[in-house]
Amino acid sequence: MSLFKVSKTAHKWLSLVVGIQLLVWLGTGVYFNLMDHHKAMGHEFRAHSHQETKAGNLNIVPVSSIASAPPISVQMLWILNHPYYHFVYEKGQHSYQKRNSALFDAVSGERAQLTAAQALVLAQQSYSGPGQLQKAQLVAPPFDDYVTQQNPMWQIDVTDDNSTRIYLDGVTGRVIRHTNDDVRLKNLMMKLHFMDYGNEGGFNHGLIILFAVFTLFLSVTGVLWLVQQWQSGLLKINWRTRYKPVTVTFSDDGSRSDISAKESASVLDELANSEIYLPTTCGGGGTCGKCLFKSDVTLPTTSAEKEQLSERQLKQGYRLGCQHKVSEISTIEVASNRCVDSCDLVVTESKFLTPFIKEVTFKEKSGRKLAFKAGAYMEFDVPAGVNNLCPVDLPAKFKPYWTDFSQGEFSHSGATRHYSIANFDQESEELTFNIRWQTSAGNYAAGIGSSYLGSLKTGEEIKARGPYCDFYASNNSHRERIFVGAGSGLAPLRSIIFEQLKKYNASGEMVLVYGARTEDDLLYYDELKTLEAQFENFRYIPTLSAPSDSWRGESGYVQKVLSTLLNERGEPWSAEYYLCGPAAMMEEVEKIILANGVPADLIFKDKFSR
C-alpha cells in the first residue's frame, strides 16, 4: 500500500474520531450556554452563614503556648461560636491539594477534633432547602463527585428531590461545596468537554495531548491530500486578485468618490487603503460598533451588528465595515461622525468622594438622554489653558493627603481625554464620572484632563463625544462574574454591576474585589455595602494596602485576595472576569487568572491607558 493511501485512510479514521469529539464539544458548549449556573454551582439551597466572632469573657491562650510542631501558618477560626486555632503544617498550591493540619481549642490549648454532631450543625446552617439531613460521616478520598479533592471531608447526604450532598472540611468544618444532580450533570459535561475520561480532574492530561497529536496528524494528512489533488489536476487555485469598482458617497456634503477595491478584503480595510477612514477602536474586531457605512442593497446582518447597532440603524441599511467584504457592495454612503454623538455637557454637581477622586456629574445641554451600555466611556475635549496643580475646593478632612504635593498652576496646549461613566443609563438622567486628580510628584506631570474636569464648577460646559461602548457585560446573566478594580477603575465596574442587578435582575453570582490604600480611599463603600445586603448574589470585598488598626476587612493588594478567592473555587474557569485599574495591577491580575486555567476570552479589561 502506498504512503498516500495509508495517509488517506488514516485521515478518514482520524477525521471520524476528531469529528465525534467536535460534536461532543458542540453539545457540551450548548449545555454550558443554556444551563442555570446558579443551580449548576450547587447554590440552589446553599445558605451563607456567619460564625459569631466575639470573644466576650473567654480567656484565649496565645499561639506560642500551644504544644505543637512548628506550623507554616496559623489562623484563628470561630466554629459554632467557639474559638479555635488552625495549625497548617504543609499544604499544596490549591485548597483541594493534600494538606496536613490540626485544630486546637483556643481557650484550653488542647488539640480538638470536630464531632459528627458539630459537622451536622454546620451543614444544617449552610442548607436552606426542604430536605432532611442525614448522619455526618468523615470520609477519605477519592470522592465520585469531587475527584480533585485529596483531603478527608465530612459528608452529609440530604433527602431532597435533587439528591443534595454537603461536603465540609474534615478539620475546620468549613463548607467546601454543595453537590446535587445539577452539579453532577455539569461535572459530566465538563468531563466530556475537557476529555477527562480518566478522571484526572483537569484538562492538562495525556489523553488531550494525544488528541492534539491526532489533530496535528489529521492536518498533515489533509495537506498531503490537497497536494495530491493539485498534482492530479482536481484542485485548481486562482492566483489572480480580483478588484471591483465601488462608489463612495460622503453624507456630509453629498460628494462622491470612485475607488477600486479588492473583493476578498473587508470594507473597512479597503476604504482605509483608499484613504477613507472609518472610525474604529477595536481594530476591526466587531466590538466597538464605530465603522458604520450605509449600503444601497440589503446586506445580511451579522451577530456583531445585532450586538452593536440598533434596530433602527439596521433597518436604515447601516452595517459595520469590518463585518462585510467588498464583493458584497457596489455603492455605499459613509460619514466620519455618524457612529458617535458630539454633545455639550453641563456640570450639575462636583464633589470629592475620596482624597484624590472627584465625582463630577453632567447633563446633556439639550436635555437629550444618552443611551449606552454600562461600562461605556466619553471622550472629552480639554481646551488649551492654565490649570491648577491642586484642587481649590478640597474638603478639610482630605487636605492632609495633599501637603506633600506641588502648589500653583501649569499651562498646556489642550488634550483629548477619556473617562468611564460610573452609572448606567436608566439609573439617572445624568452622566456620572469619577475623576482621579493626577498629582504632580517626582517624574509624574500633573493631569491635564483630571485637573481641568476636576476644576469645572456647576453650570460650566465641556464638549464631549460618545458614549463609546467597548467594555460591557456579556449576555449570559446566569454566569458568575468576578470584578477586580482599584482606584477610579471602579467606575465602569460599578456601572456594570448596578446595571446587571437593578436593570436586568441578573441571577449569576457576582464578586467585586476592590483595592484602595486607606479607608478614606474606598470609593462608594457605603453604597456597595448596601448593595451587598440587598442582593444575595453580590459579594463585596474591599481591600486596603495601608489600613488603620481598626480595619477588619482584607488587607494587602487585590492580587493576594484574588489568589485566595480562586484557590477556594474548584472551577475558576466557569466565571467571567472584568478588570479595570492601574496597568501594573491589571497585568498581574490577568496572569493570576490565566495561571488558574481560565481561557483568555473570559477576561474583559478596561485599560486606564486608553
Side-chain angles (χ1 to χ4, degrees), residues 14 17-18 195 205-217:
L14 286 175
V17 174
V18 173
M195 300 178 62
H205 52 79
L207 186 58
I208 204 166
I209 295 174
L210 182 61
F211 183 82
V213 173
F214 283 171
T215 305
L216 176 62
F217 190 75

Side-chain angles (χ1 to χ4, degrees), residues 114-403:
L114 286 184
T115 66
Q118 289 175 311
L120 188 61
V121 173
L122 292 170
Q124 183 67 67
Q125 290 177 348
S126 74
Y127 180 74
S128 61
Q132 183 69 35
L133 275 67
Q134 303 301 306
K135 181 180 178 181
Q137 295 179 316
L138 187 59
V139 182
F143 303 92
D144 292 338
D145 41 12
Y146 196 174
V147 296
T148 58
Q149 182 59 251
Q150 301 173 14
N151 299 293
M153 296 190 296
W154 287 101
Q155 176 182 304
I156 301 93
D157 290 329
V158 183
T159 56
D160 59 18
D161 293 337
N162 214 8
S163 301
T164 300
R165 176 175 290 170
I166 302 172
Y167 285 115
L168 310 181
D169 187 287
V171 176
T172 67
R174 178 179 63 87
V175 179
I176 294 179
R177 65 164 51 181
H178 282 206
T179 186
N180 52 37
D181 289 340
D182 292 315
V183 176
R184 296 179 187 102
L185 177 59
K186 182 207 67 176
N187 290 341
L188 174 61
M189 293 299 176
M190 292 291 290
K191 174 186 288 189
L192 295 174
H193 195 76
F194 291 107
M195 300 178 62
D196 187 20
Y197 304 123
N199 288 327
E200 298 288 337
F203 54 84
N204 188 19
H205 52 79
L207 186 58
I208 204 166
I209 295 174
L210 182 61
F211 183 82
V213 173
F214 283 171
T215 305
L216 176 62
F217 190 75
L218 177 66
S219 302
V220 171
T221 55
V223 171
L224 292 176
W225 199 348
L226 284 174
V227 171
Q228 192 277 336
Q229 294 279 75
W230 178 69
Q231 290 176 340
S232 63
L234 298 176
L235 177 66
K236 295 183 179 180
I237 301 176
N238 187 359
W239 300 101
R240 182 183 175 186
T241 301
R242 295 181 179 273
Y243 288 82
K244 67 176 295 184
V246 176
T247 300
V248 182
T249 302
F250 298 91
S251 58
D252 294 340
D253 55 11
S255 61
R256 293 187 175 185
S257 176
D258 293 325
I259 65 172
S260 179
K262 189 189 305 181
E263 288 187 350
S264 59
S266 70
V267 174
L268 175 66
D269 290 340
E270 283 304 284
L271 288 179
N273 289 336
S274 298
E275 298 185 349
I276 301 174
Y277 300 101
L278 298 181
T280 178
T281 60
C282 68
T287 59
C288 71
K290 294 178 173 59
C291 54
L292 282 174
F293 73 92
K294 188 176 182 181
S295 174
D296 63 335
V297 296
T298 302
L299 297 177
T301 304
T302 68
S303 58
E305 289 166 336
K306 292 178 181 178
E307 180 80 18
Q308 299 295 333
L309 306 182
S310 66
E311 292 185 7
R312 181 180 179 183
Q313 287 176 308
L314 294 174
K315 288 181 180 179
Q316 290 176 340
Y318 287 103
R319 297 293 187 269
L320 297 179
C322 63
Q323 298 294 301
H324 295 276
K325 302 292 185 182
V326 171
S327 59
E328 302 176 68
I329 63 171
S330 57
T331 301
I332 60 173
E333 180 181 310
V334 300
S336 60
N337 63 346
R338 289 188 67 91
C339 62
V340 64
D341 292 324
S342 180
C343 56
D344 294 318
L345 298 181
V346 182
V347 178
T348 58
E349 188 178 15
S350 180
K351 61 182 179 181
F352 274 95
L353 301 182
T354 75
F356 299 99
I357 298 178
K358 202 172 192 183
E359 182 184 75
V360 184
T361 305
F362 298 89
K363 67 178 180 180
E364 217 278 333
K365 184 177 181 179
S366 67
R368 177 170 55 99
K369 183 178 179 181
L370 300 179
F372 56 91
K373 293 181 179 179
Y377 66 94
M378 297 288 288
E379 183 180 64
F380 292 89
D381 290 332
V382 180
V386 178
N387 293 2
N388 292 317
L389 287 171
C390 294
V392 297
D393 58 344
L394 194 66
K397 66 177 181 178
F398 293 151
K399 287 183 178 180
Y401 291 92
W402 286 80
T403 55

Side-chain angles (χ1 to χ4, degrees), residues 355-504:
F356 299 99
I357 298 178
K358 202 172 192 183
E359 182 184 75
V360 184
T361 305
F362 298 89
K363 67 178 180 180
E364 217 278 333
K365 184 177 181 179
S366 67
R368 177 170 55 99
K369 183 178 179 181
L370 300 179
F372 56 91
K373 293 181 179 179
Y377 66 94
M378 297 288 288
E379 183 180 64
F380 292 89
D381 290 332
V382 180
V386 178
N387 293 2
N388 292 317
L389 287 171
C390 294
V392 297
D393 58 344
L394 194 66
K397 66 177 181 178
F398 293 151
K399 287 183 178 180
Y401 291 92
W402 286 80
T403 55
D404 296 332
F405 296 110
S406 303
Q407 306 293 317
E409 300 176 333
F410 71 99
S411 60
H412 60 88
S413 58
T416 298
R417 292 291 185 266
H418 305 86
Y419 289 96
S420 296
I421 304 172
N423 59 315
F424 66 93
D425 58 356
Q426 292 185 9
E427 184 177 358
S428 169
E429 296 290 330
E430 300 171 321
L431 300 175
T432 301
F433 299 86
N434 298 147
I435 310 299
R436 204 286 184 191
W437 194 298
Q438 178 61 53
T439 55
S440 176
N443 295 324
Y444 294 95
I448 296 175
S450 63
S451 59
Y452 182 81
L453 269 71
S455 298
L456 290 175
K457 299 178 181 178
T458 301
E460 292 187 322
E461 301 178 13
I462 186 172
K463 291 189 177 296
R465 286 175 297 279
Y468 295 97
C469 304
D470 55 18
F471 177 69
Y472 48 86
S474 69
N475 292 327
N476 194 341
S477 62
H478 298 294
R479 188 161 200 155
E480 182 172 1
R481 297 184 173 108
I482 296 178
F483 301 85
V484 183
S488 60
L490 179 61
L493 305 182
R494 179 206 178 276
S495 176
I496 293 174
I497 291 170
F498 273 67
E499 179 190 57
Q500 290 298 308
L501 292 175
K502 295 196 170 186
K503 181 178 179 180
Y504 296 123

Side-chain angles (χ1 to χ4, degrees), residues 95-125:
S95 61
Y96 57 81
Q97 291 177 323
K98 190 173 182 180
R99 183 193 69 202
N100 181 16
S101 66
L103 201 64
F104 292 88
D105 192 308
V107 176
S108 67
E110 299 294 326
R111 184 159 182 166
Q113 172 67 52
L114 286 184
T115 66
Q118 289 175 311
L120 188 61
V121 173
L122 292 170
Q124 183 67 67
Q125 290 177 348

